[in-house]
Amino acid sequence: MTRVLVVEDDPDLALALRTLLSRAGYEVVHADNGRDGLRLLFAERPALMLLDIGLPHLNGWEVLERTRDLSDLPVLLLTARGAETDRVRGLRAGADDYLPKPFGNDELLARVEALLRRTAPTRWAGDSFDDGLRLVPERRSAVWQGQEARLSDIEYRLLQVLVRNRGRVITTDQLLDRVWDDPEGTGRERVKFAVLRLRRKLRQAAGDEAADPLEAVRGLGYRYRTDGGEEGPDEGPGEGEDESPFRP
């Protein structure tokens, strides 16, 4: 049975959500504050989290930030704040979907089903990928082929975004939005040099100049390969670049 974590401090709404989801065939666990929500998150390892923003102890933004440091769990934000700026903030902070209150039961269930259908199995901190990569959020580092590479905050977030979307190309503008919170794309060169530094650190950790799982895709952007990190054919520079940042 698919487990859903509901983090909601309104007792009436929490009861309604538990009843609705249970009747739809989900196993539901509930926390009424942010601190307990994080505790249950790692104790229960749900398939999806419904997260309210206005929570006691730790608010929803803090819970979302800590969740994203340690997991790529799909998160659906539930909040009374329906302004566009709040929706944008939630999506940029790492939420997968956003549903303002009040909402209809059918819409909620449809969004839950869509998120579970389109997301890969959740990765958790300490999990290893098939190619030997492991993220270490408490030290902002990555273990690559058995050796630890210490990363800056930007390099860690960059790798995290690419890993969460492994196998898919992420454009330079998307990386600026998700890693640097620069949706206008005014600092596109910073992506090229951050990827260069990240790739060098992974190669140095592996002790192999050809061993890293990142690549540029000509005219598009960057991706984390799922082929075990072996060097494939050079696809040329990423979007908007004169030369590949993967060639020191």
Side-chain angles (χ1 to χ4, degrees):
M1 184 179 292
T2 302
R3 182 177 297 136
V4 176
L5 171 61
V6 174
V7 188
E8 170 61 63
D9 66 328
D10 182 321
D12 293 332
L13 179 55
L15 176 60
L17 289 171
R18 292 201 306 270
T19 302
L20 175 66
L21 292 166
S22 297
R23 288 177 177 173
Y26 297 102
E27 177 186 351
V28 183
V29 290
H30 170 245
D32 61 7
N33 64 77
R35 186 175 299 126
D36 286 346
L38 284 175
R39 180 181 58 80
L40 285 175
L41 177 67
F42 299 110
E44 300 291 341
R45 295 208 170 191
L48 175 77
M49 177 164 62
L50 303 185
L51 177 63
D52 184 31
I53 294 299
L55 295 169
H57 303 314
L58 290 174
N59 65 40
W61 301 121
E62 294 171 301
V63 173
L64 179 59
E65 180 181 5
R66 297 190 187 187
T67 299
R68 280 294 166 258
D69 279 344
L70 301 171
S71 170
D72 61 358
L73 176 81
V75 176
L76 172 58
L77 288 182
L78 305 176
T79 177
R81 302 172 181 175
E84 181 181 2
T85 53
D86 291 312
R87 295 197 299 272
V88 170
R89 179 184 178 185
L91 294 172
R92 285 181 179 165
D96 297 275
D97 202 356
Y98 192 107
L99 189 58
K101 303 173 185 177
F103 45 80
N105 291 345
D106 289 343
E107 181 179 8
L108 174 70
L109 289 177
R111 289 176 182 265
V112 166
E113 291 165 5
L115 281 175
L116 291 172
R117 185 171 57 247
R118 71 174 185 244
T119 54
T122 299
R123 293 284 188 175
W124 300 85
D127 286 355
S128 296
F129 295 88
D130 293 339
D131 57 8
L133 179 77
R134 180 166 59 89
L135 298 179
V136 187
E138 62 270 21
R139 293 201 297 273
R140 282 295 193 271
S141 66
V143 175
W144 172 239
Q145 297 192 0
Q147 300 297 320
E148 186 172 18
R150 300 301 296 268
L151 308 176
S152 69
D153 285 348
I154 287 293
E155 291 161 356
Y156 182 86
R157 290 200 297 271
L158 176 61
L159 181 58
Q160 188 179 50
V161 168
L162 292 170
V163 168
R164 285 190 65 206
N165 295 276
R166 51 196 176 277
R168 297 186 301 198
V169 177
I170 307 299
T171 68
T172 298
D173 287 341
Q174 288 173 327
L175 289 172
L176 281 167
D177 189 7
R178 300 181 193 183
V179 178
W180 285 270
D181 192 20
D182 183 10
E184 301 301 323
T186 56
R188 295 167 62 86
E189 285 295 304
R190 70 180 70 177
V191 177
K192 177 173 68 173
F193 292 112
V195 173
L196 172 61
R197 291 192 300 271
L198 175 58
R199 194 175 195 189
R200 281 177 174 167
K201 288 184 178 182
L202 293 175
R203 287 177 163 183
Q204 289 170 358
D208 183 347
E209 281 301 305
D212 71 75
L214 308 179
E215 72 178 340
V217 180
R218 181 184 295 275
L220 295 175
Y222 306 94
R223 71 180 165 201
Y224 183 96
R225 294 195 304 270
T226 57
D227 57 3
E230 295 179 1
E231 187 74 40
D234 182 11
E235 299 190 47
E239 180 188 24
E241 297 177 6
D242 296 329
E243 62 181 32
S244 170
F246 299 152
R247 302 297 180 191

